[in-house]
Amino acid sequence: MSALLRRALNNVTGEWKLNLDNRVPPKELYAARIASSKPSLGFFVLLICSAEIATLGLISNSTAVVIGAMIVAPLMDPILSLAFGLSIADNRLVKRSAITVVIGVATVVFTSWLLAMVLGASEVNREMTARTAPNLIDLMIAVAAAIAGSFTITRDKLSNSIAGVAIAVALVPPLCVSGIGLSLGPELVAVFGRGTVAGLTNQVAEGSFLLFLANLIGITVASLVVFMVQRYGSIQKAWRHLLVWLGLLGLLCIPLSSALHDFSVRQQINSRFTNFKAGLIQESLYSGLNLNSLRRIRMLYSNVRVVNNRATIEVVLNVPTKLVGKIELTEFQREFRRDAIKDYGLDEVEINISVIPTQILRYDPAASTIP
C-alpha cells in the first residue's frame, strides 16, 4: 500500500524531492577566506574603480550607476573573512581581515573625497541624502543580505547569487557619500526636486558612515551566526567574539531606533501633502477667490526632514501672479504645524513655503506684425 502511495505521489509531483546541497569542506573554505583576507592588486583596482563609479553616480544623481558600483565593489569578501575568523577563533585571520577592511574603507573615502574636490561638488542630491539617515530597516537589510552572502560561499552551486547580495547591502556608496560630505565643508546646499535648501549643517559624512557601520556590524554578526550554525566554528571557541559583536550591535540599535521613529513620522507627514492643495483651497475660499484660479496652484515639490523629534518642512508652490499675496498661507501653516505636533508628538515643526509666481502669456498671430 505504501509503495502504491509513493508511486502515485511521484507521478503527481514528477519525483520532486528536497536536494540538500553539499557544504564546502571546512579546509577549502578556510583557504578561500585566507586568500580573501589578503589585499591584492586586483582588490585595490576593483575597489578604486567602484569608488569612482559610485562617486560619479552619486554626484550625477544616477541610481543605475550607483548600482553598478555595488556589483564591482570587492569589500564584502574581507568582511566575510572577518566573520569566518571570528567563528573559528582564528585571531590571525581576524586581524588580517580587519586591517584589510580598514585599508579598504580609507581607500574608498579618500578616492571619493579627491574626486569630489577635483569636480568641485557643491550640492547634495537625493541619491546622497537617502544614505545619510540610516535606521533599523537598513540594519535588517544588512542582516538578511549577510545570511544570504555567508550561506552562498558555503555552497558551490549558489556562487552566482553573490552579485545580488552585493547590490542588496551597499558598502561602497555610503563611504563615497562620506568622502563627498567631507569635501563640502560645514555648510552645504541640498537639492530636492526643482528647489534647493541652503545653510544646512553638514551631517552628510557622519550619517552615511553610520550606515556603513550598520552594514558592517550587521553583516559580521549575522555571518558569524551562520558559520557557527553550519558547524564551521563552535560556540565554545567563539562565544567571546559573539558577545562583543552583539554588544556593538546593541549599541548601534539605539541611534537606529530613534532614526526609525523619525523615518516613520517623515513618511506620515509626506502622506498628508496629498491633501495639501485641498486644504489650501478651503482656507483661501474665505477670501472670496475664484475656485478655477485656485486650481492652477501647483506644488512643485515638498521635503520633510525629521531630526531629534524636530521636523522641518520645505514646500515650493507654483502660483499664478494674480494670486500671489491673496492666498492664505499663514493660517494654513499655523494649523498644519499645530496638527503635526499634536498627532506625531513632535517637539517643534518648522514650515517654509516658497512661492514661485507664474504668468501665462498667450500668443495672438493676428496682433503680430512683420517689419
Side-chain angles (χ1 to χ4, degrees):
M1 186 67 177
S2 60
L4 290 175
L5 289 175
R6 190 180 303 108
R7 189 179 301 112
L9 182 62
N10 288 337
N11 289 333
V12 172
T13 62
E15 298 185 1
W16 181 92
K17 62 175 62 176
L18 182 63
N19 180 25
L20 297 177
D21 297 323
N22 294 327
R23 292 190 312 151
V24 174
K27 290 184 179 180
E28 183 179 332
L29 183 60
Y30 181 64
R33 290 303 95 203
I34 288 179
S36 297
S37 68
K38 299 176 182 178
S40 61
L41 177 62
F43 173 83
F44 285 109
V45 169
L46 289 178
L47 195 62
I48 293 173
C49 287
S50 65
E52 182 180 349
I53 294 170
T55 303
L56 295 175
L58 290 166
I59 293 175
S60 61
N61 201 28
S62 174
T63 304
V65 175
V66 176
I67 292 175
M70 297 177 192
I71 300 175
V72 176
L75 203 54
M76 186 79 166
D77 255 347
I79 297 177
L80 291 176
S81 294
L82 172 64
F84 185 80
L86 293 170
S87 68
I88 63 175
D90 187 332
N91 291 328
R92 187 170 60 176
L93 179 58
V94 169
K95 293 176 183 177
R96 188 163 55 234
S97 301
I99 291 174
T100 301
V101 172
V102 171
I103 294 175
V105 169
T107 301
V108 172
V109 173
F110 176 77
T111 301
S112 59
W113 172 83
L114 182 62
L115 194 56
M117 292 292 288
V118 171
L119 295 177
S122 59
E123 297 177 343
V124 176
N125 53 45
R126 287 193 180 276
E127 275 296 316
M128 299 181 196
T129 55
R131 294 172 171 83
T132 59
N135 54 56
L136 284 177
I137 295 176
D138 298 292
L139 181 61
M140 289 187 286
I141 293 173
V143 169
I147 293 173
S150 55
F151 186 76
T152 293
I153 65 174
T154 63
R155 299 293 190 275
D156 289 330
K157 294 183 179 180
L158 300 180
S159 58
N160 292 333
S161 301
I162 197 67
V165 174
I167 296 174
V169 55
L171 292 169
V172 167
L175 292 175
C176 291
V177 175
S178 292
I180 296 172
L182 291 174
S183 72
L184 294 175
E187 297 292 327
L188 55 89
V189 175
V191 180
F192 301 100
R194 301 184 186 182
T196 61
V197 180
L200 298 173
T201 302
N202 186 6
Q203 297 178 342
V204 173
E206 294 89 343
S208 55
F209 195 76
L210 180 62
L211 174 58
F212 171 76
L213 287 180
N215 289 333
L216 173 63
I217 295 175
I219 291 171
T220 303
V221 173
S223 300
L224 172 58
V225 172
V226 169
F227 288 136
M228 288 196 301
V229 167
Q230 296 191 86
R231 300 191 306 277
Y232 285 106
S234 64
I235 191 67
Q236 290 81 8
K237 293 181 178 179
W239 67 270
R240 291 185 180 87
H241 296 306
L242 183 60
L243 285 180
V244 170
W245 282 88
L246 284 176
L248 292 175
L249 187 65
L251 290 175
L252 185 65
C253 285
I254 297 175
L256 295 184
S257 299
S258 176
L260 181 62
H261 171 263
D262 293 344
F263 173 79
S264 176
V265 171
R266 185 168 68 249
Q267 294 296 101
Q268 294 179 62
I269 292 177
N270 270 322
S271 67
R272 295 186 66 162
F273 279 115
T274 56
N275 300 319
F276 178 84
K277 190 195 291 189
L280 187 61
I281 290 176
Q282 184 177 2
E283 292 292 335
S284 301
L285 284 177
Y286 294 108
S287 302
L289 298 178
N290 183 272
L291 184 60
N292 290 328
S293 298
L294 289 170
R295 284 174 177 164
R296 295 179 182 174
I297 296 175
R298 296 287 183 271
M299 184 168 65
L300 297 183
Y301 91 100
S302 65
N303 179 64
V304 180
R305 300 190 307 278
V306 181
V307 180
N308 297 327
N309 216 37
R310 296 176 181 272
T312 302
I313 304 171
E314 304 282 348
V315 180
V316 174
L317 296 179
N318 197 197
V319 180
T321 303
K322 62 182 180 181
L323 295 182
V324 176
K326 296 182 180 180
I327 56 176
E328 296 293 335
L329 293 176
T330 304
E331 184 62 26
F332 180 84
Q333 286 177 287
R334 188 181 299 113
E335 290 189 6
F336 194 95
R337 178 178 177 276
R338 184 181 64 245
D339 293 342
I341 292 176
K342 177 182 177 182
D343 295 343
Y344 308 124
L346 296 169
D347 296 331
E348 185 60 44
V349 175
E350 179 183 352
I351 304 177
N352 300 316
I353 299 180
S354 302
V355 175
I356 300 177
T358 58
Q359 183 176 2
I360 299 176
L361 299 177
R362 301 186 182 279
Y363 174 69
D364 186 2
S368 64
T369 59
I370 301 177

